[in-house]
Amino acid sequence: MGTARLNGKTGPYVQLMRGMSGSMRIYFQAGIRAAHVELYLPKGMVMLMDERELNEAIETLCCSKAEEFHLLGYEHVTAEEIWQCVSDRYKSGEDPPLYRIVNDILSLKVTGFMNYLTLSAFKGTAF
């Protein structure tokens, strides 16, 4: 059985390392907070995150992106608004793979976020 751990980790990079024993480490940084996920799996085993762990990881990424926007002068951006912007890209009922969700959050730019807010205001949807 595999285990997962989510801690603070510094480093301006995304890195995936696979050890000889099948262990895997993923490091990524966005904004102020960095995330460090370690997966220790025997070769051939797959680790499934439960919904709570997945939600915590996504929330951490969204908080980190909101903090990044705060540093750029957008003080009123919240993690919830970041998630609404990113999840708006997915078709209803679609469950995108985790790597796509992580990429979409970490690669979100202020201009894309502001475009989302502007379009939401024109459509009359709450944001």
Side-chain angles (χ1 to χ4, degrees):
M1 273 258 161
T3 60
R5 189 175 62 212
L6 184 65
N7 311 3
K9 176 71 178 171
T10 58
Y13 52 84
V14 175
Q15 182 179 10
L16 172 64
M17 300 184 327
R18 188 163 192 91
M20 296 295 283
S21 65
S23 65
M24 187 182 307
R25 290 187 174 148
I26 304 168
Y27 302 100
F28 51 88
Q29 179 179 359
I32 298 172
R33 256 190 271 174
H36 170 206
V37 179
E38 291 188 24
L39 307 172
Y40 299 100
L41 304 173
K43 285 188 177 182
M45 294 290 293
V46 176
M47 191 203 94
L48 300 175
M49 295 175 77
D50 66 19
E51 190 172 339
R52 182 189 56 78
E53 292 172 326
L54 180 61
N55 288 339
E56 285 177 2
I58 290 171
E59 183 180 1
T60 300
L61 287 172
C62 290
C63 287
S64 178
K65 183 54 78 168
E67 289 174 3
E68 179 183 327
F69 285 4
H70 294 171
L71 287 175
L72 296 172
Y74 298 91
E75 293 88 14
H76 300 291
V77 176
T78 65
E80 183 179 315
E81 291 172 330
I82 297 291
W83 176 243
Q84 289 173 352
C85 175
V86 170
S87 63
D88 189 57
R89 299 177 184 176
Y90 310 133
K91 296 177 185 172
S92 60
E94 177 189 4
D95 280 337
L98 182 58
Y99 69 85
R100 181 174 172 200
I101 295 171
V102 170
N103 182 62
D104 290 346
I105 294 170
L106 294 180
S107 64
L108 181 63
K109 305 284 187 250
V110 172
T111 54
F113 180 70
M114 290 300 156
N115 287 341
Y116 164 77
L117 291 179
T118 303
L119 290 174
S120 294
F122 283 134
K123 291 178 185 176
T125 58
F127 49 85

